[in-house]
Amino acid sequence: MLVSRDPKPADRQQNPAQTSKVADRAREALEDLAGAPLASGIYLVATPIGNLADITLRALAVLSRADIVYCEDTRHSAKLLQHYSIAAKTLPLHEHNEDREIERVLSEAEAGKRIAIISDAGTPLLSDPGFRLVRTAASRGIPVTSIPGASAVLAALTTSGLPTDAFFFAGFLPPKQAARRTRLVEIANIPGSLVIFEAPHRVQEALADMADVLGNRASVVARELTKLHETIARGTLSALADDFAGSALKGEIVIVVGPAEPQVVSDDAISTRLDEVLGAMSLKDAAKTIAGELGVPKSRVYALGVKAKDESP
């Protein structure tokens, strides 16, 4: 099932006076934030994933006072900074230059500068460079502050209608099918929803592999979140794979896959598997192996093994 956002607002301003008060309060809050001292250190600043209005007042205050803003792509980030009239010095920090730039960034922070780190969209470090920088900064006692905000991971998860109490962000799957299916096997038994980024031209084949490896779970394909042509497609993995077959998709894609349905494994099934492997390994190793295979507690398998030994003549 495909749901497309109507780009036209459903209703116009109902209370201009109230809206004006909200705008005044926002301006006052931003002025207070911008007027307060900004300590030296590294700031991880979340930026919009599409709609430029999805940025916090605190993020604007930090970006406007930062000595340097490190960006994945300075040309891309210039659109955001220019939109809010922020005349900041920008330098590139991306996966291809992070290793050689780390020492420069840390030295600047240690010299008392205020460093902002932003990605092309959303929360930095989520499927973006920066992890090694933050780890090294922490080891050298350099303050690192997160300025939270927009995130495609959370936007997709919360609009999916799938369980949100536990989830796993898998980033991008490998582009080659064999490696992709291997990765899917590795995450198949995680007890929670899976959130996955995917390139638009690989969505159909990725969904087909997910249906085959993970089982035909409930899922959502979210495209162009917060943007003008945002769409949310809901269905099973195989149904969505069929829906997107032959489609020439464009834009940012997030796939959310619901957790596997709990399987009921009988004691007889566990005992049968124990009989098959106990000759080749110890009960402790057998319990670990079978628990992983059948998705049951290791203690349950071990207890059945002990019981079988006690009852054997």
Side-chain angles (χ1 to χ4, degrees), residues 18-299:
Q18 180 64 30
T19 301
S20 178
K21 288 180 181 178
V22 171
D24 288 343
R25 290 289 177 86
R27 275 192 293 271
E28 291 171 3
L30 182 55
E31 289 172 359
D32 289 343
L33 285 167
L38 184 66
S40 62
I42 296 172
Y43 295 83
L44 309 176
V45 184
T47 55
I49 60 176
N51 192 317
L52 290 181
D54 293 333
I55 189 164
T56 68
L57 299 176
R58 190 178 176 207
L60 291 174
V62 170
L63 292 175
S64 66
R65 292 177 296 166
D67 296 303
I68 305 171
V69 177
Y70 280 93
C71 323
E72 272 190 278
D73 185 333
T74 56
R75 295 165 300 178
H76 179 90
S77 297
K79 299 174 184 177
L80 172 69
L81 299 177
Q82 290 169 5
H83 182 80
Y84 286 104
S85 299
I86 296 173
K89 177 182 179 181
T90 59
L91 290 173
L93 181 69
H94 46 71
E95 61 179 333
H96 302 297
N97 74 349
E98 183 181 8
D99 286 340
R100 68 173 182 266
E101 289 295 308
I102 284 179
E103 185 55 40
R104 190 227 299 245
V105 176
L106 297 179
S107 296
E108 289 166 339
E110 288 175 329
K113 290 190 176 180
R114 300 156 305 177
I115 309 297
I117 308 290
I118 64 175
S119 65
D120 282 347
T123 300
L125 276 69
L126 295 183
S127 208
D128 290 322
F131 159 69
R132 292 190 299 276
L133 169 64
V134 171
R135 179 177 60 184
T136 309
S139 70
R140 287 163 59 164
I142 298 171
V144 178
T145 304
S146 176
I147 311 298
S151 167
V153 174
L154 297 181
L157 180 66
T158 53
T159 58
S160 70
L162 297 171
T164 58
D165 55 329
F167 68 93
F168 178 79
F169 173 53
F172 283 93
L173 294 176
K176 299 290 180 74
Q177 185 180 53
R180 181 168 60 239
R181 291 173 70 91
T182 297
R183 178 59 173 152
L184 288 170
V185 169
E186 292 172 350
I187 64 177
N189 292 322
I190 290 175
S193 295
L194 305 176
V195 183
I196 297 166
F197 288 168
E198 191 52 270
H201 62 280
R202 286 197 299 266
V203 167
Q204 191 275 333
E205 59 188 70
L207 289 168
D209 283 341
M210 289 179 199
D212 192 30
V213 175
L214 302 178
N216 202 21
R217 305 186 193 182
S219 54
V220 161
V221 175
R223 187 179 72 86
E224 294 288 83
L225 286 166
T226 79
K227 298 178 183 177
L228 184 63
H229 300 294
E230 174 181 316
T231 57
I232 306 291
R234 295 182 170 88
T236 62
L237 285 167
S238 60
L240 287 172
D242 291 341
D243 289 344
F244 287 109
S247 299
L249 293 178
K250 294 181 180 180
E252 306 287 338
I253 305 289
V254 186
I255 301 172
V256 185
V257 183
E261 293 294 328
Q263 296 183 353
V264 178
V265 181
S266 68
D267 286 353
D268 287 343
I270 296 174
S271 296
T272 298
R273 187 71 183 112
L274 276 168
D275 290 341
E276 295 171 351
V277 302
L278 275 178
M281 62 181 71
S282 67
L283 176 57
K284 180 180 178 181
D285 290 339
K288 181 179 179 180
T289 299
I290 295 171
E293 291 176 353
L294 302 181
V296 296
K298 184 170 62 176
S299 58

